[in-house]
Amino acid sequence: MISDGFIFDIKRYAIHDGPGIRTTVFLKGCPLRCWWCHNPEGISHANELMFFEYKCMHCRTCTHVCPVGAITFENNIQHINRQICNYCGICSEACPTGALMLVGRGITIEELMKEIEKGILFYDNSGGGVTFSGGEPLFQHQFLREALKECKKRDLHTVLDTSGYAPKDVFSSVLDYVDVFLYDLKLADDEEHKKYTGVSNNLIKDNLRMLVDVGRGNDVILRFPVIPGITDTEKNIDGLVEFVATLKGKGISEIDLLPFHDVSEKYNRLGKQYKMPISKAPSREKLKHIKERFEEIGLYVKI
Ligand code: SF4
Ligand code: SF4
């Protein structure tokens, strides 16, 4: 018996998360802490409260309904005391403008499959299917495996958007139910990987090697977040090119470059600290250069 899953979004008609038109399920919880994470609402495996300041009309309904007094106003500016908030969601339900939103909800396999089945016509007509993303979807591996199995029972194409950071046995246990892996590669140097993501890259490299060694290299699309001053350095590109070159000839043929974009606003809405020291996207020249470096080892590179 599988317990419920915990998700923060279901995106319909997604066209950038694998082939065709897809439904993308975002599972909550991730063991990594990447400085540039563009889905900070997916990091914690718990409810969170988002505040959209531009929607707030300062009616103070939230202050009156909050049972623990977590919301106050000072000089017409709202403050949420997240230390005492119990994430009951009463304020978000009462807010007349949608300025407060509780992020995260439990879902059963049956409920999830009903949502997924709504898109079957689009998947069939476009060669699409279902993508599991996050957070790190393998963080809830039991629920993920069950959902993948149910997709396969319905003959649906499945994509796993993963950091690759999961124990080997956990990673192995989903392979039979995944058609395509969107697999992140971030930093080649382990110390830098630890500094900017909070974890070692050994497991990530090992799982990728295992994937190609069992003959699944053709089903892997690498993804490289291009983060100015962090991942786009010549030293890191050298390291990644060298690593990926050892996997060439085992099926891996594509890498997608994901240019950094500033998401500080999302962090503000969650009351979280945004660690990125810069806000500028990588230049066109830099992306072209990185593209050429991966093309030199025979990869197809998409930006
Ligand atoms: S209830 Fe909503 S609109 Fe009213 S003050 Fe609170 S956040 Fe703003
Ligand atoms: S989620 Fe509940 S406890 Fe937290 S601020 Fe809103 S009403 Fe108060």
Side-chain angles (χ1 to χ4, degrees), residues 5 50 134 166 226 242 281 285:
M50 265 184 147
V226 182
E242 192 183 326
E285 292 71 37

Side-chain angles (χ1 to χ4, degrees), residues 97-116:
T97 65
L100 287 163
M101 186 171 91
L102 195 69
V103 187
R105 68 172 164 117
I107 191 165
T108 64
I109 287 288
E110 292 72 27
E111 288 165 343
L112 179 62
M113 294 317 297
K114 269 189 200 153
E115 293 290 324
I116 286 171

Side-chain angles (χ1 to χ4, degrees), residues 49 66-68 70-71 85-91:
L49 193 61
C66 177
V68 296
I71 303 183
C85 169
N86 61 19
Y87 300 97
C88 64
I90 291 173
C91 58

Side-chain angles (χ1 to χ4, degrees), residues 98-156:
L100 287 163
M101 186 171 91
L102 195 69
V103 187
R105 68 172 164 117
I107 191 165
T108 64
I109 287 288
E110 292 72 27
E111 288 165 343
L112 179 62
M113 294 317 297
K114 269 189 200 153
E115 293 290 324
I116 286 171
E117 283 169 354
K118 289 177 188 169
I120 281 182
L121 203 62
F122 293 99
Y123 315 147
D124 288 349
N125 290 335
S126 68
V130 186
T131 297
F132 292 91
S133 183
E136 168 50 63
L138 287 161
F139 193 78
Q140 297 183 56
H141 59 93
Q142 288 176 307
F143 180 77
L144 171 71
R145 191 162 46 249
E146 204 59 28
L148 284 165
K149 278 185 190 173
E150 290 299 320
C151 288
K152 283 292 134 205
K153 276 187 201 165
R154 291 158 179 80
D155 210 16
L156 299 176

Side-chain angles (χ1 to χ4, degrees), residues 30-56:
C30 181
L32 278 70
R33 294 292 179 270
C34 305
W35 285 26
W36 54 87
C37 178
H38 64 283
N39 278 343
E41 70 274 45
I43 296 173
S44 160
H45 183 246
N47 278 124
E48 286 171 283
L49 193 61
M50 265 184 147
F51 174 56
F52 298 81
E53 195 176 1
Y54 69 95
K55 291 187 186 175
C56 178

Side-chain angles (χ1 to χ4, degrees), residues 7-293:
I7 63 170
F8 64 95
D9 201 7
I10 295 178
K11 187 166 75 179
R12 304 194 178 289
Y13 315 115
I15 54 167
H16 298 296
D17 300 333
I21 299 174
R22 315 191 67 81
T23 291
T24 302
V25 181
F26 293 88
L27 285 88
K28 221 165 166 351
C30 181
L32 278 70
R33 294 292 179 270
C34 305
W35 285 26
W36 54 87
C37 178
H38 64 283
N39 278 343
E41 70 274 45
I43 296 173
S44 160
H45 183 246
N47 278 124
E48 286 171 283
L49 193 61
M50 265 184 147
F51 174 56
F52 298 81
E53 195 176 1
Y54 69 95
K55 291 187 186 175
C56 178
M57 60 177 189
H58 305 101
C59 65
R60 313 208 176 185
T61 305
C62 50
T63 305
H64 301 308
V65 298
C66 177
V68 296
I71 303 183
T72 52
F73 278 81
E74 206 181 312
N75 297 328
N76 226 20
I77 295 172
Q78 194 212 50
H79 297 276
I80 301 172
N81 184 340
R82 294 173 194 269
Q83 304 297 323
I84 61 172
C85 169
N86 61 19
Y87 300 97
C88 64
I90 291 173
C91 58
S92 59
E93 278 168 29
C95 174
T97 65
L100 287 163
M101 186 171 91
L102 195 69
V103 187
R105 68 172 164 117
I107 191 165
T108 64
I109 287 288
E110 292 72 27
E111 288 165 343
L112 179 62
M113 294 317 297
K114 269 189 200 153
E115 293 290 324
I116 286 171
E117 283 169 354
K118 289 177 188 169
I120 281 182
L121 203 62
F122 293 99
Y123 315 147
D124 288 349
N125 290 335
S126 68
V130 186
T131 297
F132 292 91
S133 183
E136 168 50 63
L138 287 161
F139 193 78
Q140 297 183 56
H141 59 93
Q142 288 176 307
F143 180 77
L144 171 71
R145 191 162 46 249
E146 204 59 28
L148 284 165
K149 278 185 190 173
E150 290 299 320
C151 288
K152 283 292 134 205
K153 276 187 201 165
R154 291 158 179 80
D155 210 16
L156 299 176
H157 182 273
T158 56
V159 168
L160 182 65
D161 179 9
T162 181
S163 65
Y165 190 82
K168 259 187 171 172
D169 57 330
V170 166
F171 194 71
S172 306
S173 72
V174 301
L175 301 193
D176 288 348
Y177 315 107
V178 176
D179 293 306
V180 171
F181 300 84
L182 302 179
Y183 202 106
D184 279 12
L185 281 185
K186 301 177 175 90
L187 288 151
D189 179 81
D190 198 31
E191 286 312 308
E192 292 204 352
H193 203 279
K194 283 180 193 158
K195 176 178 174 187
Y196 291 110
T197 74
V199 302
S200 162
N201 62 16
N202 289 334
L203 206 46
I204 294 167
K205 287 180 172 175
D206 286 351
N207 280 333
L208 185 55
R209 281 191 202 102
M210 186 256 289
L211 205 47
V212 297
D213 285 344
V214 297
R216 299 294 305 272
N218 285 319
D219 303 324
V220 176
I221 297 174
L222 298 174
R223 291 189 144 190
F224 175 50
V226 182
I227 314 299
I230 298 178
T231 69
D232 72 347
T233 63
E234 221 38 43
K235 178 177 162 239
N236 189 44
I237 305 299
D238 285 346
L240 288 181
V241 165
E242 192 183 326
F243 172 63
V244 177
T246 65
L247 308 174
K248 275 286 297 168
K250 293 181 177 175
I252 290 189
S253 60
E254 178 175 338
I255 187 163
D256 297 348
L257 307 188
L258 309 175
F260 167 78
H261 61 274
D262 181 84
V263 287
S264 50
E265 194 51 44
K266 263 195 179 185
Y267 284 75
N268 290 340
R269 287 172 188 158
L270 286 160
K272 283 186 172 170
Q273 186 203 358
Y274 189 45
K275 282 181 156 181
M276 280 303 293
I278 50 115
S279 58
K280 252 182 102 177
S283 67
R284 205 178 291 189
E285 292 71 37
K286 178 63 97 174
L287 292 171
K288 184 170 171 281
H289 171 68
I290 297 172
K291 183 171 184 279
E292 286 167 357
R293 291 295 315 276

